Short mmCIF file of all heavy atoms in Angstrom, two decimals:
data_model
loop_
_atom_site.label_atom_id
_atom_site.label_comp_id
_atom_site.label_asym_id
_atom_site.label_seq_id
_atom_site.Cartn_x
_atom_site.Cartn_y
_atom_site.Cartn_z
N SER A 205 -101.58 -161.45 -163.79
CA SER A 205 -101.99 -162.17 -165.00
C SER A 205 -103.45 -162.56 -164.96
O SER A 205 -104.14 -162.56 -165.99
CB SER A 205 -101.11 -163.41 -165.19
OG SER A 205 -99.77 -163.04 -165.42
N VAL A 206 -103.95 -162.93 -163.77
CA VAL A 206 -105.37 -163.26 -163.64
C VAL A 206 -106.22 -162.04 -163.99
O VAL A 206 -107.16 -162.12 -164.78
CB VAL A 206 -105.70 -163.73 -162.21
CG1 VAL A 206 -107.22 -163.86 -162.03
CG2 VAL A 206 -105.06 -165.08 -161.93
N PHE A 207 -105.86 -160.89 -163.40
CA PHE A 207 -106.64 -159.67 -163.67
C PHE A 207 -106.52 -159.23 -165.13
O PHE A 207 -107.48 -158.74 -165.72
CB PHE A 207 -106.21 -158.55 -162.72
CG PHE A 207 -106.68 -158.73 -161.31
CD1 PHE A 207 -105.78 -158.88 -160.26
CD2 PHE A 207 -108.04 -158.79 -161.01
CE1 PHE A 207 -106.21 -159.06 -158.96
CE2 PHE A 207 -108.48 -158.97 -159.71
CZ PHE A 207 -107.57 -159.09 -158.68
N TRP A 208 -105.33 -159.42 -165.72
CA TRP A 208 -105.14 -159.08 -167.13
C TRP A 208 -106.07 -159.89 -168.00
O TRP A 208 -106.73 -159.36 -168.90
CB TRP A 208 -103.68 -159.31 -167.50
CG TRP A 208 -103.41 -159.34 -168.99
CD1 TRP A 208 -103.02 -160.41 -169.74
CD2 TRP A 208 -103.50 -158.25 -169.90
NE1 TRP A 208 -102.87 -160.07 -171.05
CE2 TRP A 208 -103.16 -158.73 -171.19
CE3 TRP A 208 -103.85 -156.90 -169.78
CZ2 TRP A 208 -103.14 -157.93 -172.32
CZ3 TRP A 208 -103.83 -156.11 -170.91
CH2 TRP A 208 -103.49 -156.61 -172.16
N ARG A 209 -106.14 -161.18 -167.75
CA ARG A 209 -106.99 -162.04 -168.57
C ARG A 209 -108.48 -161.79 -168.31
O ARG A 209 -109.32 -162.07 -169.16
CB ARG A 209 -106.64 -163.51 -168.31
CG ARG A 209 -105.32 -163.88 -169.00
CD ARG A 209 -104.82 -165.26 -168.64
NE ARG A 209 -105.76 -166.32 -169.00
CZ ARG A 209 -105.45 -167.61 -168.91
NH1 ARG A 209 -104.26 -167.98 -168.48
NH2 ARG A 209 -106.34 -168.52 -169.25
N GLN A 210 -108.79 -161.23 -167.15
CA GLN A 210 -110.18 -160.85 -166.86
C GLN A 210 -110.53 -159.48 -167.41
O GLN A 210 -111.69 -159.06 -167.34
CB GLN A 210 -110.42 -160.87 -165.35
CG GLN A 210 -110.44 -162.27 -164.74
CD GLN A 210 -110.63 -162.25 -163.24
OE1 GLN A 210 -110.20 -161.30 -162.56
NE2 GLN A 210 -111.25 -163.28 -162.69
N GLY A 211 -109.55 -158.77 -167.95
CA GLY A 211 -109.79 -157.45 -168.51
C GLY A 211 -109.68 -156.31 -167.52
O GLY A 211 -109.98 -155.16 -167.85
N ASN A 212 -109.24 -156.60 -166.29
CA ASN A 212 -109.10 -155.57 -165.26
C ASN A 212 -107.66 -155.05 -165.30
O ASN A 212 -106.81 -155.47 -164.51
CB ASN A 212 -109.45 -156.16 -163.89
CG ASN A 212 -109.58 -155.08 -162.81
OD1 ASN A 212 -108.99 -154.01 -162.92
ND2 ASN A 212 -110.35 -155.37 -161.78
N THR A 213 -107.39 -154.12 -166.21
CA THR A 213 -106.02 -153.67 -166.42
C THR A 213 -105.50 -152.85 -165.24
O THR A 213 -104.29 -152.84 -164.98
CB THR A 213 -105.93 -152.82 -167.70
OG1 THR A 213 -106.86 -151.75 -167.63
CG2 THR A 213 -106.22 -153.68 -168.92
N LYS A 214 -106.39 -152.18 -164.52
CA LYS A 214 -105.95 -151.37 -163.37
C LYS A 214 -105.34 -152.24 -162.28
O LYS A 214 -104.25 -151.97 -161.76
CB LYS A 214 -107.12 -150.56 -162.82
CG LYS A 214 -106.73 -149.58 -161.72
CD LYS A 214 -107.92 -148.73 -161.30
CE LYS A 214 -107.50 -147.74 -160.22
NZ LYS A 214 -108.64 -146.88 -159.79
N LYS A 215 -106.05 -153.33 -161.92
CA LYS A 215 -105.53 -154.23 -160.89
C LYS A 215 -104.33 -155.02 -161.42
O LYS A 215 -103.40 -155.32 -160.67
CB LYS A 215 -106.63 -155.17 -160.41
CG LYS A 215 -107.64 -154.50 -159.49
CD LYS A 215 -108.56 -155.52 -158.81
CE LYS A 215 -109.48 -154.84 -157.81
NZ LYS A 215 -110.37 -155.82 -157.13
N ALA A 216 -104.37 -155.38 -162.70
CA ALA A 216 -103.22 -156.08 -163.29
C ALA A 216 -101.97 -155.22 -163.17
O ALA A 216 -100.91 -155.69 -162.75
CB ALA A 216 -103.50 -156.41 -164.75
N ASP A 217 -102.10 -153.93 -163.51
CA ASP A 217 -100.98 -153.01 -163.43
C ASP A 217 -100.47 -152.88 -162.00
O ASP A 217 -99.25 -152.85 -161.76
CB ASP A 217 -101.39 -151.64 -163.97
CG ASP A 217 -100.22 -150.67 -163.99
OD1 ASP A 217 -99.25 -150.93 -164.72
OD2 ASP A 217 -100.28 -149.64 -163.28
N TYR A 218 -101.39 -152.84 -161.03
CA TYR A 218 -100.99 -152.71 -159.62
C TYR A 218 -100.10 -153.88 -159.20
O TYR A 218 -99.02 -153.67 -158.62
CB TYR A 218 -102.23 -152.65 -158.71
CG TYR A 218 -101.89 -152.78 -157.24
CD1 TYR A 218 -101.40 -151.69 -156.53
CD2 TYR A 218 -102.05 -154.00 -156.58
CE1 TYR A 218 -101.06 -151.81 -155.18
CE2 TYR A 218 -101.72 -154.13 -155.24
CZ TYR A 218 -101.22 -153.03 -154.55
OH TYR A 218 -100.90 -153.16 -153.21
N PHE A 219 -100.53 -155.10 -159.48
CA PHE A 219 -99.75 -156.26 -159.04
C PHE A 219 -98.46 -156.41 -159.85
O PHE A 219 -97.42 -156.78 -159.29
CB PHE A 219 -100.60 -157.54 -159.13
CG PHE A 219 -101.55 -157.70 -157.97
CD1 PHE A 219 -102.90 -157.50 -158.12
CD2 PHE A 219 -101.06 -158.05 -156.71
CE1 PHE A 219 -103.78 -157.64 -157.04
CE2 PHE A 219 -101.92 -158.20 -155.63
CZ PHE A 219 -103.28 -158.00 -155.80
N TYR A 220 -98.50 -156.12 -161.14
CA TYR A 220 -97.26 -156.17 -161.94
C TYR A 220 -96.25 -155.15 -161.40
O TYR A 220 -95.05 -155.47 -161.29
CB TYR A 220 -97.55 -155.86 -163.41
CG TYR A 220 -98.26 -156.96 -164.18
CD1 TYR A 220 -99.05 -156.65 -165.29
CD2 TYR A 220 -98.12 -158.30 -163.82
CE1 TYR A 220 -99.69 -157.65 -166.02
CE2 TYR A 220 -98.77 -159.30 -164.54
CZ TYR A 220 -99.55 -158.96 -165.63
OH TYR A 220 -100.18 -159.95 -166.35
N GLN A 221 -96.72 -153.95 -161.10
CA GLN A 221 -95.81 -152.91 -160.60
C GLN A 221 -95.22 -153.30 -159.24
O GLN A 221 -94.04 -153.04 -158.96
CB GLN A 221 -96.54 -151.57 -160.49
CG GLN A 221 -96.94 -150.95 -161.81
CD GLN A 221 -95.76 -150.41 -162.59
OE1 GLN A 221 -94.62 -150.40 -162.12
NE2 GLN A 221 -96.02 -149.96 -163.81
N GLN A 222 -96.05 -153.91 -158.37
CA GLN A 222 -95.55 -154.39 -157.08
C GLN A 222 -94.43 -155.40 -157.28
O GLN A 222 -93.38 -155.35 -156.64
CB GLN A 222 -96.70 -155.03 -156.29
CG GLN A 222 -97.70 -154.05 -155.71
CD GLN A 222 -97.13 -153.32 -154.50
OE1 GLN A 222 -96.61 -152.21 -154.61
NE2 GLN A 222 -97.24 -153.95 -153.34
N ALA A 223 -94.67 -156.36 -158.17
CA ALA A 223 -93.67 -157.39 -158.45
C ALA A 223 -92.41 -156.77 -159.04
O ALA A 223 -91.29 -157.14 -158.68
CB ALA A 223 -94.25 -158.43 -159.39
N TYR A 224 -92.59 -155.81 -159.96
CA TYR A 224 -91.45 -155.16 -160.61
C TYR A 224 -90.58 -154.44 -159.59
O TYR A 224 -89.34 -154.54 -159.62
CB TYR A 224 -91.96 -154.18 -161.66
CG TYR A 224 -90.86 -153.45 -162.41
CD1 TYR A 224 -90.18 -154.07 -163.44
CD2 TYR A 224 -90.51 -152.15 -162.07
CE1 TYR A 224 -89.18 -153.42 -164.14
CE2 TYR A 224 -89.51 -151.47 -162.75
CZ TYR A 224 -88.85 -152.12 -163.78
OH TYR A 224 -87.85 -151.46 -164.45
N ARG A 225 -91.20 -153.72 -158.67
CA ARG A 225 -90.43 -152.98 -157.67
C ARG A 225 -89.64 -153.92 -156.75
O ARG A 225 -88.48 -153.65 -156.42
CB ARG A 225 -91.37 -152.08 -156.84
CG ARG A 225 -91.76 -150.80 -157.55
CD ARG A 225 -92.45 -149.84 -156.60
NE ARG A 225 -93.80 -150.30 -156.28
CZ ARG A 225 -94.88 -149.96 -156.97
NH1 ARG A 225 -94.75 -149.17 -158.03
NH2 ARG A 225 -96.07 -150.39 -156.62
N ARG A 226 -90.27 -155.01 -156.34
CA ARG A 226 -89.57 -155.95 -155.44
C ARG A 226 -88.37 -156.58 -156.15
O ARG A 226 -87.27 -156.66 -155.59
CB ARG A 226 -90.52 -157.06 -155.00
CG ARG A 226 -91.63 -156.63 -154.08
CD ARG A 226 -92.42 -157.83 -153.57
NE ARG A 226 -93.75 -157.44 -153.17
CZ ARG A 226 -94.05 -156.84 -152.01
NH1 ARG A 226 -93.09 -156.58 -151.15
NH2 ARG A 226 -95.30 -156.52 -151.71
N LEU A 227 -88.58 -157.04 -157.38
CA LEU A 227 -87.52 -157.75 -158.08
C LEU A 227 -86.42 -156.82 -158.56
O LEU A 227 -85.25 -157.21 -158.65
CB LEU A 227 -88.11 -158.52 -159.26
CG LEU A 227 -89.08 -159.65 -158.87
CD1 LEU A 227 -89.80 -160.19 -160.08
CD2 LEU A 227 -88.34 -160.76 -158.14
N SER A 228 -86.76 -155.57 -158.88
CA SER A 228 -85.75 -154.60 -159.31
C SER A 228 -84.78 -154.28 -158.18
O SER A 228 -83.64 -153.87 -158.42
CB SER A 228 -86.42 -153.31 -159.79
OG SER A 228 -87.18 -153.55 -160.95
N ALA A 229 -85.24 -154.48 -156.95
CA ALA A 229 -84.39 -154.18 -155.79
C ALA A 229 -83.41 -155.31 -155.50
O ALA A 229 -82.66 -155.24 -154.52
CB ALA A 229 -85.28 -153.94 -154.56
N GLY A 230 -83.41 -156.37 -156.32
CA GLY A 230 -82.43 -157.43 -156.12
C GLY A 230 -83.00 -158.82 -156.04
O GLY A 230 -82.33 -159.73 -155.55
N GLY A 231 -84.22 -159.03 -156.50
CA GLY A 231 -84.82 -160.36 -156.45
C GLY A 231 -84.43 -161.22 -157.63
O GLY A 231 -83.50 -160.90 -158.38
N ASN A 232 -85.14 -162.31 -157.81
CA ASN A 232 -84.89 -163.27 -158.89
C ASN A 232 -85.06 -162.59 -160.25
O ASN A 232 -86.14 -162.15 -160.62
CB ASN A 232 -85.87 -164.45 -158.75
CG ASN A 232 -85.59 -165.56 -159.72
OD1 ASN A 232 -85.50 -165.33 -160.93
ND2 ASN A 232 -85.47 -166.77 -159.21
N GLN A 233 -83.95 -162.49 -160.99
CA GLN A 233 -83.97 -161.77 -162.26
C GLN A 233 -84.74 -162.49 -163.35
O GLN A 233 -85.27 -161.87 -164.27
CB GLN A 233 -82.53 -161.51 -162.73
CG GLN A 233 -81.74 -160.61 -161.78
CD GLN A 233 -82.32 -159.22 -161.69
OE1 GLN A 233 -82.15 -158.41 -162.59
NE2 GLN A 233 -83.01 -158.91 -160.60
N LEU A 234 -84.81 -163.82 -163.25
CA LEU A 234 -85.63 -164.58 -164.21
C LEU A 234 -87.09 -164.20 -164.06
O LEU A 234 -87.80 -164.01 -165.05
CB LEU A 234 -85.43 -166.08 -163.99
CG LEU A 234 -85.93 -167.01 -165.10
CD1 LEU A 234 -85.17 -166.75 -166.39
CD2 LEU A 234 -85.79 -168.46 -164.68
N TYR A 235 -87.56 -164.11 -162.81
CA TYR A 235 -88.92 -163.65 -162.56
C TYR A 235 -89.12 -162.23 -163.09
O TYR A 235 -90.18 -161.89 -163.62
CB TYR A 235 -89.23 -163.66 -161.06
CG TYR A 235 -89.35 -165.02 -160.42
CD1 TYR A 235 -89.39 -165.15 -159.03
CD2 TYR A 235 -89.43 -166.18 -161.18
CE1 TYR A 235 -89.50 -166.40 -158.43
CE2 TYR A 235 -89.54 -167.42 -160.58
CZ TYR A 235 -89.57 -167.53 -159.21
OH TYR A 235 -89.69 -168.77 -158.62
N LEU A 236 -88.06 -161.39 -162.95
CA LEU A 236 -88.18 -159.99 -163.36
C LEU A 236 -88.45 -159.88 -164.86
O LEU A 236 -89.28 -159.06 -165.29
CB LEU A 236 -86.91 -159.23 -163.00
CG LEU A 236 -86.88 -157.74 -163.37
CD1 LEU A 236 -88.03 -156.98 -162.74
CD2 LEU A 236 -85.54 -157.11 -162.96
N THR A 237 -87.78 -160.70 -165.67
CA THR A 237 -88.03 -160.62 -167.12
C THR A 237 -89.47 -161.00 -167.45
O THR A 237 -90.09 -160.40 -168.33
CB THR A 237 -87.07 -161.55 -167.90
OG1 THR A 237 -87.24 -162.90 -167.46
CG2 THR A 237 -85.64 -161.13 -167.71
N GLU A 238 -90.02 -161.97 -166.72
CA GLU A 238 -91.41 -162.37 -166.95
C GLU A 238 -92.36 -161.23 -166.57
O GLU A 238 -93.35 -160.97 -167.27
CB GLU A 238 -91.74 -163.62 -166.13
CG GLU A 238 -93.03 -164.31 -166.53
CD GLU A 238 -92.97 -164.90 -167.93
OE1 GLU A 238 -91.95 -165.48 -168.30
OE2 GLU A 238 -93.98 -164.74 -168.65
N VAL A 239 -92.06 -160.54 -165.48
CA VAL A 239 -92.89 -159.40 -165.05
C VAL A 239 -92.84 -158.29 -166.10
O VAL A 239 -93.86 -157.69 -166.45
CB VAL A 239 -92.42 -158.86 -163.69
CG1 VAL A 239 -93.14 -157.56 -163.33
CG2 VAL A 239 -92.65 -159.91 -162.59
N ILE A 240 -91.64 -158.01 -166.62
CA ILE A 240 -91.49 -156.95 -167.63
C ILE A 240 -92.29 -157.29 -168.89
O ILE A 240 -92.95 -156.43 -169.47
CB ILE A 240 -90.00 -156.73 -167.96
CG1 ILE A 240 -89.28 -156.15 -166.75
CG2 ILE A 240 -89.85 -155.79 -169.15
CD1 ILE A 240 -87.77 -156.10 -166.89
N LEU A 241 -92.25 -158.55 -169.30
CA LEU A 241 -93.04 -158.96 -170.47
C LEU A 241 -94.53 -158.77 -170.22
O LEU A 241 -95.27 -158.33 -171.10
CB LEU A 241 -92.74 -160.43 -170.80
CG LEU A 241 -91.39 -160.72 -171.44
CD1 LEU A 241 -91.14 -162.22 -171.54
CD2 LEU A 241 -91.28 -160.08 -172.80
N ASN A 242 -94.96 -159.08 -169.01
CA ASN A 242 -96.37 -158.87 -168.69
C ASN A 242 -96.73 -157.39 -168.63
O ASN A 242 -97.81 -156.98 -169.09
CB ASN A 242 -96.71 -159.55 -167.35
CG ASN A 242 -96.76 -161.05 -167.45
OD1 ASN A 242 -96.97 -161.60 -168.53
ND2 ASN A 242 -96.56 -161.73 -166.35
N LEU A 243 -95.83 -156.57 -168.10
CA LEU A 243 -96.07 -155.12 -168.08
C LEU A 243 -96.19 -154.57 -169.49
O LEU A 243 -97.00 -153.67 -169.75
CB LEU A 243 -94.92 -154.42 -167.35
CG LEU A 243 -95.04 -154.25 -165.84
CD1 LEU A 243 -93.74 -153.74 -165.25
CD2 LEU A 243 -96.19 -153.32 -165.47
N SER A 244 -95.42 -155.12 -170.41
CA SER A 244 -95.47 -154.64 -171.79
C SER A 244 -96.84 -154.89 -172.43
O SER A 244 -97.25 -154.17 -173.33
CB SER A 244 -94.37 -155.29 -172.64
OG SER A 244 -94.63 -156.66 -172.84
N ASP A 245 -97.55 -155.92 -171.95
CA ASP A 245 -98.90 -156.19 -172.48
C ASP A 245 -99.87 -155.06 -172.16
O ASP A 245 -100.88 -154.89 -172.84
CB ASP A 245 -99.45 -157.50 -171.89
CG ASP A 245 -98.79 -158.73 -172.49
OD1 ASP A 245 -98.36 -158.65 -173.64
OD2 ASP A 245 -98.70 -159.75 -171.79
N LEU A 246 -99.57 -154.30 -171.11
CA LEU A 246 -100.47 -153.22 -170.71
C LEU A 246 -100.27 -151.95 -171.54
O LEU A 246 -101.06 -151.03 -171.45
CB LEU A 246 -100.26 -152.88 -169.22
CG LEU A 246 -100.61 -153.98 -168.23
CD1 LEU A 246 -100.24 -153.56 -166.82
CD2 LEU A 246 -102.10 -154.31 -168.29
#
Side-chain angles (χ1 to χ4, degrees):
S205 295
V206 171
F207 287 118
W208 165 248
R209 285 173 60 173
Q210 289 178 329
N212 191 334
T213 55
K214 186 175 181 180
K215 285 191 175 181
D217 183 63
Y218 169 78
F219 280 106
Y220 287 154
Q221 292 288 355
Q222 287 285 95
Y224 180 79
R225 281 191 287 270
R226 292 186 203 281
L227 295 170
S228 295
N232 186 307
Q233 297 296 284
L234 195 63
Y235 290 169
L236 180 58
T237 59
E238 194 66 42
V239 172
I240 293 171
L241 287 172
N242 287 337
L243 272 171
S244 70
D245 286 331
L246 296 175

